Amino acid sequence: MKVVLLHAFPLDERMWELQLPALATHDVTAPNLYDLGGSSIDGWAQRILDEVGGDLVAVGASMGGSVALAMARLAPERIRGLLLAGARPDADSPERRAGRAATIELIEGEGPLGLWENQREKLFTETAPEAAVELAREMALSRQMPDLVRAVEAIRDRPDSTGVLQTVPVLFGLGATDIFFPPDEAAAFAEGAPRGRLVVFERSRHLPNLEQPEEFNEALLELLDSVG
């Protein structure tokens, strides 16, 4: 059984560095989603399914969680479990789609730095480890503008994946102060999933694997043990 780590926007696969030691005994792959081409969550999911064989546990943060859900929707027989960190299973509402348009406008007008300055306080708490914030900044600023725009388009246009919650074990891992997907909203999805569970990381916002890596790794290993 393989573990696929799927990164958040506007970061990349380096965001999982603090998880890799905990997964040393597992077969792990962490693709760079921007390198997969196109601007489709389903397209990225299918590319990964085609390139990584066998049964999988998909661990996705934010945008990566949307890819994980798409993988489970496209190949439910291969997905043993999901860990969704700050990832909504539903499609964008009209209000959220309008927000995506504003984000694209920001990227096109101010580039990666403008996006980072807009996102910093939405991704991390004020007490986040400095090294984690600096790593995230480095990743965000290393992206090219077209990559960022394609990613926002992919997130905006993703299909609804709530049906997946009925078919696979799913762990929602949420920061207590997540702005994009508050824990009370996640709780409703978890309660409606036959094998759903919610873990709230009290000192995190949108990226608990970076703010509370030890606690996140513990939850991840527990999921792997339960579906292995």
Side-chain angles (χ1 to χ4, degrees):
M1 183 177 64
K2 299 180 176 67
V3 180
V4 181
L5 303 175
L6 301 160
H7 64 79
F9 170 86
L11 311 185
D12 60 40
E13 72 278 10
R14 289 173 289 173
M15 72 172 288
W16 301 112
E17 288 180 359
L18 297 177
Q19 279 62 64
L20 295 180
L23 296 171
T25 61
H26 295 270
D27 186 353
V28 178
T29 183
N32 184 312
L33 299 176
Y34 311 105
D35 290 346
L36 300 181
S39 59
S40 163
I41 293 291
D42 277 17
W44 293 344
Q46 190 61 60
R47 279 284 303 273
I48 296 165
L49 289 167
D50 291 343
E51 294 175 5
V52 183
D55 290 347
L56 310 170
V57 170
V59 181
S62 194
M63 175 177 72
S66 297
V67 178
L69 285 157
M71 291 170 63
R73 183 163 37 77
L74 294 169
E77 73 284 357
R78 292 182 54 195
I79 305 302
R80 300 283 291 275
L82 298 175
L83 195 165
L84 305 177
R88 307 184 64 95
D90 53 344
D92 265 4
S93 65
E95 293 78 12
R96 289 199 295 271
R97 288 182 66 87
R100 308 296 182 197
T103 299
I104 291 173
E105 183 177 350
L106 173 66
I107 294 167
E108 292 176 338
E110 302 182 29
L113 180 58
L115 176 67
W116 168 253
E117 291 176 345
N118 174 268
Q119 294 286 305
R120 160 65 178 87
E121 293 183 356
K122 300 174 184 178
L123 298 177
F124 292 103
T125 65
E126 293 181 357
T127 58
E130 183 177 344
V133 177
E134 184 54 35
L135 175 62
R137 183 180 186 277
E138 178 184 341
M139 288 185 277
L141 296 187
S142 71
R143 301 268 58 84
Q144 298 297 311
M145 188 185 305
D147 288 341
L148 296 172
V149 171
R150 287 190 300 109
V152 177
E153 291 172 344
I155 298 167
R156 177 197 65 197
D157 297 335
R158 73 192 188 281
D160 184 282
S161 292
T162 53
V164 165
L165 306 183
Q166 303 300 312
T167 63
V168 300
V170 56
L171 172 63
F172 290 94
L174 274 295
T177 57
D178 195 316
I179 294 170
F180 299 108
F181 192 26
D184 59 341
E185 294 185 34
F189 286 107
E191 290 170 2
R195 291 174 289 175
R197 192 162 66 89
L198 170 66
V199 173
V200 177
F201 299 95
E202 296 296 337
R203 302 190 309 280
S204 297
R205 186 150 290 162
H206 195 54
L207 300 172
N209 74 298
L210 288 172
E211 288 211 66
Q212 293 182 246
E214 292 183 4
E215 294 88 343
F216 185 90
N217 292 349
E218 182 179 348
L220 171 55
L221 291 176
E222 183 178 337
L223 172 67
L224 293 174
D225 287 344
S226 70
V227 302

